[in-house]
């Protein structure tokens, strides 16, 4: 260490880490009064405390994964299933024998059907033509399973989903095989929404600390980022002696340690004596430019839908894709025929949804969206995708609603609209339109 660098030791190459917004905010609040380079030092303290007791990490990691999965579970899709009396009785008896319910058995049956469908066209057509289906029950399935089944069945015409479910159930009743094992693994599997993580944060780690993290991650089939999210949550749950630990992490050198600690003490005393010199709070007040839109949520679209949304929203100002989707969501909520639109969308084979779009939604809009999802037996992801496809089809006369979404603050509305108009004129002149 050089004695001319005020006792600070370079701590190695940066590691990109991503935390959920709540954890990141709480970490920043903890480090607000400690001093420069405080966030990285706090994260390294969390890493060292995690590595100090590696025997407890496997159980804590398993608990964190279960908690994350529970928080991200997509609700079951409720589906009516009409059966003939004999099949209904056999299904009930099998569920009673294995101490489970009919839905779990149907989920296993569909998994087996999708894994090895074989020749299904004629059995499905015969099943669809039956007239003795007098026993109705309701089963609960993963939405992705229904999408995969509809994609498979609709290759030869109409998606006879209900008939295909009955074919899958009868195949399982004819050959239960190792049903107990499948009920333990397959029937309990749930669709999960992607984990919501904030933007990347680079934190410098020395070689030894990075190697320890990598070794532990390799033993636990994990990675640095997952372990650091666990370390951050554990630190926040027990933030003991952080002042001393972070200060030690910031000022490692002995040559100027006393001088550095004294300077840090004077800075904190000055800030305490003069409230006007205190660092601003991490949590920002809503922007007067009309940005109180709430927490950002991640939704998935196919690449073509995302591209078309961006092209349509390009005629508006900043935060345009998010505003366009909020307009679409509000129009879907207002639509009295939303159930028919959802049923029609489910009959159409959808491409893989791999493109991520972040949308800021306020609590009131989320409450209305969740209420609609409960009424239709759907979920946020499916309804937002439906809202996006509908706004792409029916987007006439939405200019005023888009402006309302982008610029909500009434006190600055005239000024903001004028600024938006100037920006649009400049942007179009740069494109060579001359207007």
């Amino acid at each position: 260490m050089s004695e001319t660098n005020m006792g600070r030791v370079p701590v190695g190459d940066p590691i990109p880490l991503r935390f959920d917004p709540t954890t990141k905010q709480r970490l920043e609040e903890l480090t607000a009064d400690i001093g420069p380079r405080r966030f990285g030092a706090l994260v390294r303290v969390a890493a060292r405390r995690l590595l100090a007791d590696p025997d407890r990490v496997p159980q804590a990691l398993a608990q964190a994964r279960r908690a994350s999965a529970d928080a991200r579970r997509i609700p079951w899709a409720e589906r009516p299933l009409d059966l003939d009396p004999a099949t209904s009785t056999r299904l009930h008896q099998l569920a009673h024998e294995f101490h489970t319910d009919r839905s779990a058995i149907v989920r296993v049956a569909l998994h087996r059907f999708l894994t090895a469908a074989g020749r299904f066209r004629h059995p499905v057509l015969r099943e669809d033509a039956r007239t003795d289906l007098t026993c109705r029950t309701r089963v609960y399935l993963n939405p992705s399973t229904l999408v995969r089944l509809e994609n498979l069945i609709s290759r030869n015409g109409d998606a006879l989903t209900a008939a295909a479910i009955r074919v899958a159930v009868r195949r399982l009743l004819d050959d239960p095989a190792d049903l107990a094992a499948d009920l333990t693994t397959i029937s309990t599997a749930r669709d999960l929404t992607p984990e919501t993580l904030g933007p990347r944060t680079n934190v410098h780690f020395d070689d030894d600390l990075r190697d320890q993290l990598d070794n532990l991650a390799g033993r636990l089939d994990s990675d640095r980022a997952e372990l650091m999210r666990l370390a951050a949550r554990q630190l926040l749950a027990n933030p003991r002696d952080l002042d001393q630990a972070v200060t030690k992490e910031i000022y490692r050198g002995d040559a100027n340690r006393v001088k550095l600690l004294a300077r840090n003490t004077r800075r904190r005393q000055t800030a305490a004596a003069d409230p006007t010199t205190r660092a601003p709070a991490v949590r920002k007040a809503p922007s007067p430019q009309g940005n109180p839109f709430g927490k950002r949520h991640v939704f998935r679209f196919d690449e073509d839908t995302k591209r078309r949304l961006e092209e349509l929203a390009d005629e508006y100002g900043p935060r345009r894709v998010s505003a366009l989707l909020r307009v679409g969501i509000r129009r879907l909520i207002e639509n009295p025929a939303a159930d028919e639109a959802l049923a029609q969308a489910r009959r159409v084979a959808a491409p893989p949804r791999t493109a991520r779009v972040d949308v800021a939604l306020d609590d009131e809009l989320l409450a209305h969206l969740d209420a609609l999802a409960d009424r239709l037996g759907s979920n946020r992801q499916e309804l937002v995708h439906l809202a996006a496809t509908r706004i792409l089809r029916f987007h006439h006369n939405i200019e005023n609603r888009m402006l309302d979404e982008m610029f909500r603050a009434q006190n600055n509305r005239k000024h903001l609209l004028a600024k938006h108009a100037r920006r649009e004129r400049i942007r179009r002149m740069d494109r060579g339109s001359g207007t």
Side-chain angles (χ1 to χ4, degrees):
M1 182 202 75
S2 171
E3 295 187 4
T4 62
N5 67 351
M6 297 301 291
R8 300 181 178 92
V9 179
V11 288
D13 297 329
I15 292 178
L17 300 174
R18 296 177 66 199
F19 301 96
D20 64 270
T22 301
T23 300
K24 177 75 178 298
Q25 177 183 333
R26 293 181 61 196
L27 290 173
E28 290 175 340
E29 289 172 350
L30 274 180
T31 57
D33 297 326
I34 297 178
R37 285 187 296 283
R38 50 192 179 268
F39 185 84
L42 182 67
V43 171
R44 290 193 297 274
V45 168
R48 296 185 193 283
R49 292 186 176 182
L50 180 80
L51 294 169
D53 193 3
D55 294 337
R56 299 180 57 186
V57 176
Q59 182 180 358
L61 185 62
Q63 292 176 349
R65 287 172 173 173
R66 286 195 298 270
S68 176
D70 290 340
R72 295 182 291 120
R73 281 181 176 176
I74 296 176
W76 297 119
E78 184 182 15
R79 182 87 188 193
L81 182 61
D82 294 326
L83 300 171
D84 62 274
T87 302
S88 178
T89 301
R90 291 172 59 199
L91 182 61
H92 175 75
Q93 291 173 347
L94 195 62
H96 180 74
E97 177 184 348
F98 284 89
H99 306 287
T100 186
D101 54 34
R102 298 184 179 196
S103 296
I105 295 178
V106 174
R107 290 195 292 270
V108 173
L110 287 180
H111 175 83
R112 293 182 182 180
F113 184 84
L114 291 170
T115 304
R119 301 181 65 179
F120 60 83
R121 176 170 171 75
H122 292 295
V124 170
L125 291 175
R126 288 194 299 269
E127 189 64 41
D128 186 60
R130 296 186 63 160
T131 59
D132 59 341
L133 307 175
T134 59
C135 298
R136 166 163 288 198
T137 185
R138 292 189 174 274
V139 293
Y140 298 89
L141 310 173
N142 275 327
S144 64
T145 301
L146 289 174
V147 171
R148 291 173 56 200
L149 184 65
E150 290 174 359
N151 290 343
L152 176 66
I153 300 300
S154 62
R155 292 185 304 180
N156 297 313
D158 294 336
L160 306 176
T161 308
I165 295 175
R166 291 196 295 271
V167 169
V169 170
R170 291 199 174 88
R171 286 184 179 181
L172 182 140
L173 294 176
D174 292 340
D175 182 18
D178 192 2
L179 183 57
D182 286 349
L183 285 172
T184 303
T185 56
I186 297 171
S187 72
T188 58
R190 297 289 296 268
D191 286 343
L192 303 178
T193 58
E195 192 170 15
T196 302
L197 299 175
R200 185 181 69 181
T201 300
N202 288 331
V203 179
H204 292 264
F205 279 60
D206 59 66
D207 294 341
D208 180 60
L209 185 58
R210 185 175 61 248
D211 291 343
Q212 291 183 59
L213 272 177
D214 289 344
N215 292 335
L216 183 60
R219 294 199 303 270
L220 301 178
D221 192 23
S222 180
D223 53 42
R224 296 174 188 165
E226 186 180 35
L227 289 184
M228 284 311 307
R229 288 192 284 272
L230 174 63
R233 286 191 292 268
Q234 290 185 344
L235 182 79
L236 292 171
N238 186 17
R240 66 184 190 281
D241 302 327
L242 284 185
D243 236 14
Q244 297 86 346
V246 174
T247 300
K248 182 178 179 181
E249 187 64 40
I250 294 174
Y251 309 120
R252 295 194 195 174
D254 294 329
N256 294 312
R257 183 175 182 81
V258 175
K259 183 188 298 184
L260 290 165
L261 292 178
R263 189 178 68 179
N264 185 52
T265 300
R266 289 196 303 272
R267 180 171 54 242
R268 295 181 61 186
Q269 291 173 346
T270 302
D274 185 3
T276 61
T277 63
R278 292 182 182 176
V282 176
R283 184 188 295 273
K284 295 182 180 179
S287 168
Q289 281 74 32
N291 192 29
F293 298 119
K295 182 180 178 182
R296 303 190 72 83
H297 297 263
V298 177
F299 298 99
R300 298 287 174 171
F301 300 88
D302 57 273
E303 294 290 348
D304 181 64
T305 298
K306 181 180 179 181
R307 176 186 58 79
R308 293 170 61 200
L309 286 171
E310 291 173 342
E311 290 176 353
L312 177 59
D314 191 49
E315 294 302 319
Y316 304 96
R319 299 182 294 277
R320 48 192 180 269
V321 173
S322 191
L324 179 64
L325 283 172
R326 286 196 298 274
V327 171
I329 292 170
R330 294 185 194 281
R331 293 179 68 170
L332 180 65
I333 293 171
E334 297 165 0
N335 185 6
D339 53 345
E340 298 176 7
L342 180 61
Q344 182 180 1
R346 285 173 171 172
R347 289 194 293 268
V348 179
R353 299 173 185 175
T354 58
R356 166 179 172 152
V357 176
D358 292 351
V359 185
L361 301 176
D362 58 69
D363 293 339
E364 181 182 1
L365 186 57
L366 276 177
H368 287 298
L369 185 63
D370 290 340
L372 180 64
D374 291 340
R375 181 167 63 86
L376 301 182
S378 181
N379 55 70
R380 291 180 183 175
Q381 168 64 51
E382 187 177 35
L383 291 185
V384 172
H385 189 273
L386 174 60
T389 57
R390 288 183 59 81
I391 200 69
L392 289 173
R393 292 175 58 196
F394 312 109
H395 55 263
H396 301 295
N397 302 321
I398 64 170
E399 289 79 6
N400 290 335
R401 300 195 67 166
M402 282 292 295
L403 291 173
D404 287 340
E405 283 297 334
M406 288 190 293
F407 307 121
R408 290 194 189 176
Q410 298 299 320
N411 55 335
N412 288 327
R413 183 177 180 81
K414 183 177 179 180
H415 165 71
L416 290 165
L417 292 178
K419 186 171 70 172
H420 172 66
R422 290 195 301 271
R423 182 171 51 242
E424 287 301 296
R425 285 198 297 271
I426 295 172
R427 185 166 64 91
R428 290 174 180 175
M429 289 174 62
D430 290 342
R431 289 181 172 181
S433 64
T435 60

